[in-house]
Amino acid sequence: GLSIAGDEVMNALHGMPIYQLVMELEGCCVITREMFLKNVEFDENFDEERRQWFEEVCTELDIATLLDWITELKALNADGSLPDGKSITVSLSGAPSQEACTSTQNFSAEGLIPVVHTCFYTLALPAYATKEEMLIGIRNEYKSRSYTIA
């Protein structure tokens, strides 16, 4: 059993959400945006502008829910890493390759949804035209806990 004594310990625990207490006792840590992003790698087709959008979008999302949606993990290791040194890969999906694009083509990500592959810790995002579209697309999918099997 667990024995906790002392006013200092009790004061430190006062007001702490139960999930945070459990994570602390299990040697896990509360997931911050910065910790989450340290575990993210971007596919080579994910341009710099979209990388910045993704990082900004993460400030408006519940990071623990996002981590769970992509990986089915409830927490990071105590040092903030993913198990087995893995990382989350974020890539573009549904868009034609750069070689296939011409100035006359007008690709739209409308109607396309993000796809997660929990076994491989990957998130494939449509080529959204704006950061707002990306936020809406991700938020709608992870809130619905939608899993598209691909």
Side-chain angles (χ1 to χ4, degrees):
L2 176 66
S3 174
I4 299 176
D7 289 340
E8 287 182 30
V9 172
M10 294 310 292
N11 287 338
L13 297 177
H14 181 72
M16 181 183 287
I18 192 70
Y19 75 89
Q20 185 176 352
L21 175 60
V22 170
M23 289 172 62
E24 292 288 338
L25 293 173
E26 290 179 350
C28 301
C29 55
V30 176
I31 305 161
T32 65
R33 173 184 169 262
E34 290 75 21
M35 293 169 78
F36 175 81
L37 290 172
K38 283 183 184 178
N39 289 287
V40 172
E41 293 179 355
F42 294 95
D43 182 85
E44 65 272 0
N45 293 324
F46 212 82
D47 61 68
E48 189 59 39
E49 182 177 38
R50 285 189 176 89
R51 289 176 193 217
Q52 184 176 350
W53 291 353
F54 183 79
E55 291 176 5
E56 291 172 11
V57 161
C58 285
T59 64
E60 301 188 41
L61 300 172
D62 180 86
I63 294 300
T65 302
L66 187 61
L67 176 72
D68 181 40
W69 179 55
I70 298 169
T71 65
E72 294 188 333
L73 295 173
K74 305 297 183 221
L76 297 171
N77 293 331
D79 66 357
S81 66
L82 290 169
D84 301 323
K86 292 182 178 179
S87 60
I88 295 168
T89 302
V90 180
S91 63
L92 290 179
S93 69
S97 67
Q98 281 189 315
E99 296 80 30
C101 289
T102 67
S103 59
T104 60
Q105 289 180 313
N106 185 13
F107 174 76
S108 171
E110 186 177 336
L112 297 177
I113 60 172
V115 176
V116 297
H117 302 274
T118 57
C119 293
F120 303 106
Y121 300 170
T122 61
L123 169 62
L125 294 173
Y128 294 116
T130 67
K131 178 177 80 172
E132 291 71 28
E133 286 181 5
M134 182 184 287
L135 173 62
I136 291 167
I138 294 172
R139 183 179 281 151
N140 287 345
E141 288 304 302
Y142 93 67
K143 278 190 170 184
S144 71
R145 306 296 294 155
S146 175
Y147 294 89
T148 301
I149 300 172

